[in-house]
Amino acid sequence: MDTPFAVKAGLGELGRSGLVISPWGAQMRIMEVFTNLPLVPDKPIDFGLQEFCKVCKKCADNCPASAISMDDEPSEVDTVVKSIRWFQDGKKCLSQRLAYGCSKCQSVCPWSKPDTLIHEIGRMVGQNPAFAPFLVKLDDFFYNRYPEGHATGEWAPWR
């Protein structure tokens, strides 16, 4: 339930995967701090992620639970954030995460690549919808469209 608050606070935009994606990536942990300090609220940001997600679809292609919509346009109205978002089947996603520890949508997102100068330039250029298809193809070339994960036995001894 942190996602709408994070979007309204300007921490990022709502991506196709239903996660908050900031200009620095999709792998973020959101926590609340309650205070009575007088603070000026931030505004939601728009860095072009929605347009990029329309072209990319990498998280939906790689979702093992098929929980993320492949639609070209977002179709659901999120009444809390007051925006349109893509459909995501939360039950399928949760069952996959509980059974196998999935976070594939975060790891394949082009916005979550290493923080290097080349990736910074790509993120800046990716905010322009005209360059989004080129950057998706570039990401596919360097990281593969369907990247393989680590062998479970090596990093998950409890399996």
Side-chain angles (χ1 to χ4, degrees), residues 131-147:
F131 293 112
F134 170 72
L135 286 177
V136 171
K137 294 294 183 199
L138 200 60
D139 188 73
D140 292 348
F141 176 76
F142 283 109
Y143 296 103
N144 194 357
R145 183 72 185 176
Y146 304 99

Side-chain angles (χ1 to χ4, degrees), residues 9 24 50-51 62 70 94 131 141:
W24 307 278
Q50 294 280 321
E51 294 299 319
N62 285 280
M70 288 291 290
L94 184 61
F131 293 112
F141 176 76

Side-chain angles (χ1 to χ4, degrees), residues 54-71:
K54 288 178 184 178
V55 175
C56 182
K57 300 180 184 179
K58 203 164 188 176
C59 60
D61 283 343
N62 285 280
C63 181
S66 300
I68 303 171
S69 170
M70 288 291 290
D71 295 341

